[in-house]
Amino acid sequence: MNKYRTHTCNELRKDNNTEKVILSGWVNKKRDHGNLLFIDLRDNYGITQCLIDKENSNFKKLEKIQLETVIKIKGNVVQRSKESINNEISTGEIEVIIENFDILGECRELPLPVFSDQEYSEEIRLKYRFLDLRRKKIHENIILRSNVISFIRNEMIKYGFLEFQTPILTSSSPEGARDFLVPSRLNPGKFYALPQAPQQFKQLVMVSGFDKYFQIAPCFRDEDARADRSPGEFYQLDLEMSFVEQEDVFKVIERLFVNIFKKFSKKKLLFSKFPTISYKESMLKYGNDKPDLRNPLIISDITEIFFRDDVSFEIFKKLVKTGSMVRCIVTKDTKDKPRSFFDNIDRWAKEQGASGLAYFTLEKNDEISAKGPVGKFFTKEALELLMSKTGAKIGDSFFLACGKKNDLEKITSLARDKIAKDLELIDESTFAFCWIVDYPMFEKDIQSNQIKFSHNPFSMPQGDVDKINFDKPLEILAYQYDLVCNGVELSSGAIRNHIPDLMYKLFNIAGYSKSDVDQKFSGMINALSYGAPPHGGIAPGIDRIVMLLANEKNIREVTMFPMNQNAQDLMMNAPSNISESQLKELNLSLKVKK
RNA sequence: GGGGGUGUAGCUCAGUUGGUUAGAGCGAUCGCCUGUCACGCGAUAGGUCGAGGGUUCGAGUCCCUUCACUCCCGCCA
């Protein structure tokens, strides 16, 4: 026992009746009845109702105390009468009658109320983050985050992984996102980069013979923010294993994630063995590589229908002849939906920059026909073919989009979400995990028309290494995988390429010469030529895991001290100007654009 | 770099077609109230309507410029 408290604000029960206690905490709420004053005292653990009446000489002083002042009270625990028990709080069966009190920390007038369910502007919340963090919801989110991280750490150690730290000041690498740079005082004109991920280090750890590594690793990428992407820094569970195949990594992650999500969420897991979907299949059926499998809608390619003579939908037919494709989404049993339902979706698609979504509904009077603005363009035979291709039945509706592959994927992907939302098809009480596999090693940059790595340049290409056809680089698949949950990309990983010769060949395709590779990736390429084990790994994003568990849409709700969208810390005033002497020491001069 | 949204009291917001002195709830200050748990009641203070310019007899409201925050696109191996 110390001088501040005998109990926390969430400890006292009716068994403590008549005990003398000391409590310390924040004044959460006052209810002043003039001759009787209730004070809800709050700490990290909970709330205890304290009261004082005018007979006590401290009454006047306590009556005037500001909310959020930190006080210490000395008093007696009493059991509440039956009528005055508060079932909302776990100390609700008792209250503490205050004998005397001390102010431990004064509080000025608050810029934002702490005890309130109202929402506040991000600006004020971030500036006064220490007040914001006292509020129930976000306080619990941050505690959840802490619990999730220590659970992960324990699990990983249980699975035989070793935790290591890797450097924060490292070298800039040409691939990937923009780097955060740090000037070197001892090496004038040279810069460190903050790691975008400990990618090369973790591979070096494997080459060093440590077998299984993990780290809760900070990662730094100087890219623009999104709701689910902090500017600057985020955390990954970085892990790597030697002598493994893709399936071995999956096993570790599935075990870990099933355990995490069962422990920290009441929602059901749709799969405990996560389904694997190839990149190609995912792009067709879902229009993206992070499908929300809670959504039952599937996209089908029906381009070939538009080559038939008995289909007279001329706008689409003309586009198809010039290389466009047609894809559709079928909704089950929507024949009775009002016209406005369909028109809303069509209008919405136009707002997304598409040319709209054509639609019709299958019906059958004497024979099968299509009802809707474009229904008349399809004969009975064409409709029957569509039904067999898509599994559609009488009463179902078709939404059709036509366009070039990329645009088509984009709009059908968005439409799949939009239609499912409108029809309330998504079960919010489940988590649906899946693996996306078989990523292409390379892709063509649309603007420059050059071949570049589509994912991670250190990934191992699939197939027999001797038989890889380097003349058709776009056909090379990689042992590269993403973990996806409810449409959120949680993680990327790969079996790594540990063969230097193969590395040179692949980098050559992406436009890097041997000497480029030797220079830019010197540490790693060098290490790989001194006996490197086959290895692979993955790096799930901690922030996004906690977002899913806390049911939050914004990453700042699970981040203690986040920056705003312009990468500024409004509480600490970062970034800030530095002195002339600091610049001089670093051999830097500034040319700020006006 | 581009597009959308927002900006009115310390906080959350309302403010009609452009029309007299810009409102409410919470908070603050003062007063009343002994069983509340979002306690209740009464009063008072608090405003460069984000900033600048314009149209108009008259602008919180319309137009232009600009700033801040936010969401999205680009970007994120």
Side-chain angles (χ1 to χ4, degrees):
Chain A
M1 183 176 71
N2 70 21
K3 66 178 177 179
Y4 296 116
R5 60 186 177 196
T6 56
H7 299 78
T8 72
C9 293
N10 192 28
E11 254 186 303
L12 297 172
R13 299 289 183 273
K14 61 182 175 199
D15 292 349
N16 300 98
N17 193 18
T18 74
E19 280 179 33
K20 267 192 181 311
V21 296
I22 304 172
L23 299 179
S24 286
W26 287 262
V27 177
N28 192 57
K29 192 76 193 165
K30 287 187 299 184
R31 288 176 296 279
D32 187 354
H33 291 238
N35 293 311
L36 178 70
L37 171 68
F38 294 95
I39 288 182
D40 288 341
L41 197 67
R42 183 196 75 237
D43 65 11
N44 178 63
Y45 308 99
I47 286 178
T48 302
Q49 174 167 285
C50 306
L51 72 159
I52 187 167
D53 76 13
K54 66 169 180 193
E55 302 305 322
N56 189 305
S57 58
N58 288 305
F59 183 80
K60 281 278 175 227
K61 268 186 280 175
L62 261 179
E63 215 180 9
K64 297 283 172 242
I65 208 161
Q66 289 278 350
L67 296 183
E68 294 305 309
T69 303
V70 179
I71 59 172
K72 170 179 113 172
I73 65 115
K74 217 177 256 181
N76 292 307
V77 180
V78 296
Q79 205 167 329
R80 296 201 204 181
S81 67
K82 223 176 210 160
E83 314 79 64
S84 59
I85 287 174
N86 181 354
N87 291 314
E88 305 281 307
I89 55 175
S90 46
T91 59
E93 286 187 307
I94 57 93
E95 57 199 355
V96 175
I97 295 174
I98 300 170
E99 273 179 12
N100 52 50
F101 82 104
D102 290 309
I103 289 177
L104 303 178
E106 302 235 28
C107 181
R108 299 197 296 201
E109 188 177 343
L110 294 164
L112 65 102
V114 171
F115 177 69
S116 169
D117 291 331
Q118 264 178 25
E119 297 203 22
Y120 306 100
S121 73
E122 297 258 358
E123 201 172 357
I124 204 109
R125 292 181 60 193
L126 294 183
K127 183 165 179 193
Y128 296 97
R129 190 59 158 180
F130 49 90
L131 290 177
D132 191 37
L133 286 167
R134 290 181 196 169
R135 297 167 65 220
K136 194 163 190 279
K137 184 77 199 302
I138 189 160
H139 200 86
E140 283 172 358
N141 283 353
I142 299 298
I143 291 171
L144 172 68
R145 182 187 175 112
S146 171
N147 291 338
V148 168
I149 288 175
S150 44
F151 181 80
I152 288 173
R153 193 168 262 132
N154 285 334
E155 286 290 295
M156 295 307 288
I157 291 165
K158 210 190 284 174
Y159 303 168
F161 285 76
L162 300 172
E163 183 175 10
F164 298 125
Q165 288 73 51
T166 53
I168 297 298
L169 294 174
T170 181
S171 64
S172 178
S173 74
E175 283 285 319
R178 201 177 292 114
D179 284 317
F180 276 103
L181 299 173
V182 179
S184 166
R185 175 179 59 86
L186 293 175
N187 302 277
K190 294 191 175 177
F191 291 81
Y192 303 97
L194 306 184
Q196 295 185 24
Q199 180 65 36
Q200 294 189 59
F201 287 111
K202 70 171 169 179
Q203 294 192 236
L204 289 161
V205 169
M206 294 300 101
V207 178
S208 309
F210 287 105
D211 204 61
K212 284 181 189 161
Y213 140 92
F214 86 99
Q215 177 181 197
I216 309 292
C219 302
F220 305 90
R221 296 177 191 175
D222 187 3
E223 296 298 333
D224 288 354
R226 289 288 183 277
D228 63 350
R229 203 166 81 198
S230 286
E233 57 192 85
F234 63 97
Y235 281 80
Q236 288 184 338
L237 164 61
D238 194 45
L239 67 93
E240 197 75 6
M241 307 151 76
S242 286
F243 307 110
V244 291
E245 297 177 273
Q246 187 165 290
E247 197 56 40
D248 298 307
V249 179
F250 288 7
K251 269 186 208 150
V252 168
I253 289 294
E254 284 175 20
R255 181 179 170 193
L256 176 69
F257 274 68
V258 167
N259 287 346
I260 294 172
F261 279 72
K262 275 189 177 160
K263 182 170 173 64
F264 292 103
S265 179
K266 291 192 180 97
K267 295 187 183 182
K268 293 185 294 287
L269 288 169
L270 209 51
F271 319 105
S272 54
K273 168 91 180 104
F274 305 165
T276 60
I277 302 166
S278 76
Y279 172 80
K280 202 175 162 187
E281 182 188 350
S282 183
M283 293 307 287
L284 172 62
K285 286 168 74 175
Y286 311 107
N288 59 48
D289 64 348
K290 43 178 185 175
D292 185 348
L293 295 189
R294 295 172 305 171
N295 179 346
L297 300 176
I298 302 280
I299 299 161
S300 305
D301 192 296
I302 51 168
T303 308
E304 60 180 280
I305 299 283
F306 291 84
F307 289 110
R308 290 170 61 100
D309 291 335
D310 63 348
V311 171
S312 53
F313 195 169
E314 294 303 332
I315 308 171
F316 277 22
K317 290 187 86 166
K318 202 182 269 177
L319 288 167
V320 164
K321 272 179 199 147
T322 58
S324 284
M325 298 192 256
V326 182
R327 289 184 180 172
C328 70
I329 294 172
V330 175
T331 57
K332 291 278 153 208
D333 197 25
T334 36
K335 63 177 186 307
D336 297 326
K337 286 280 164 190
R339 175 78 186 244
S340 61
F341 162 75
F342 297 96
D343 286 342
N344 273 340
I345 289 168
D346 182 43
R347 186 173 353 110
W348 164 88
K350 286 180 177 125
E351 282 166 14
Q352 304 305 307
S355 48
L357 284 179
Y359 63 84
F360 60 79
T361 299
L362 292 172
E363 53 181 26
K364 185 171 186 182
N365 295 319
D366 292 331
E367 51 182 35
I368 293 169
S369 65
K371 188 181 80 176
V374 303
K376 58 179 181 277
F377 298 129
F378 300 89
T379 61
K380 166 174 159 286
E381 288 74 20
L383 292 173
E384 276 168 351
L385 187 58
L386 274 175
M387 288 168 75
S388 75
K389 273 190 79 73
T390 60
K393 302 214 159 42
I394 302 299
D396 296 352
S397 306
F398 280 74
F399 290 87
L400 308 120
C402 180
K404 298 279 188 248
K405 190 161 174 285
N406 277 352
D407 298 334
L408 194 54
E409 282 165 352
K410 198 172 275 176
I411 189 63
T412 51
S413 161
L414 290 171
R416 189 173 162 267
D417 289 341
K418 164 73 179 167
I419 296 168
K421 213 174 178 185
D422 285 3
L423 290 172
E424 294 176 3
L425 297 176
I426 293 173
D427 179 359
E428 292 289 344
S429 70
T430 58
F431 288 117
F433 282 93
C434 65
W435 293 103
I436 307 299
V437 299
D438 302 339
Y439 276 85
M441 189 82 211
F442 300 100
E443 64 187 11
K444 204 174 242 178
D445 189 279
I446 298 169
Q447 284 168 351
S448 64
N449 217 25
Q450 284 182 337
I451 304 245
K452 58 171 203 174
F453 289 109
S454 68
H455 243 72
N456 183 323
F458 306 121
S459 300
M460 184 64 116
Q462 291 187 14
D464 194 331
V465 172
D466 300 326
K467 290 180 187 157
I468 293 172
N469 185 353
F470 294 99
D471 296 332
K472 290 185 175 171
L474 294 175
E475 288 175 15
I476 301 173
L477 298 180
Y479 285 115
Q480 165 85 48
Y481 34 83
D482 274 13
L483 178 63
V484 174
C485 179
N486 293 1
V488 176
E489 183 194 320
L490 276 185
S491 185
S492 255
I495 298 300
R496 319 298 175 187
N497 179 356
H498 67 288
I499 305 164
D501 282 348
L502 184 55
M503 188 90 87
Y504 287 127
K505 278 184 193 162
L506 295 169
F507 268 95
N508 191 41
I509 291 170
Y512 294 88
S513 69
K514 184 168 185 295
S515 66
D516 286 339
V517 177
D518 286 339
Q519 203 177 28
K520 303 249 163 76
F521 306 100
S522 64
M524 215 169 68
I525 199 82
N526 192 28
L528 294 182
S529 49
Y530 287 96
H535 60 285
I538 192 163
I542 298 280
D543 313 79
R544 289 190 183 165
I545 292 172
V546 180
M547 278 172 76
L548 282 174
L549 292 170
N551 209 17
E552 293 287 359
K553 295 257 182 305
N554 194 302
I555 201 162
R556 292 184 293 274
E557 300 301 328
V558 297
T559 308
M560 211 163 193
F561 298 113
M563 296 199 284
N564 70 8
Q565 199 170 43
N566 293 323
Q568 297 159 342
D569 182 334
L570 299 174
M571 190 175 57
M572 303 298 279
N573 287 323
S576 58
N577 295 321
I578 58 169
S579 70
E580 203 53 46
S581 64
Q582 284 174 300
L583 281 173
K584 201 174 165 194
E585 209 166 40
L586 295 167
N587 297 286
L588 295 177
S589 68
L590 298 180
K591 277 185 189 171
V592 181
K593 256 193 273 176
K594 288 239 168 110

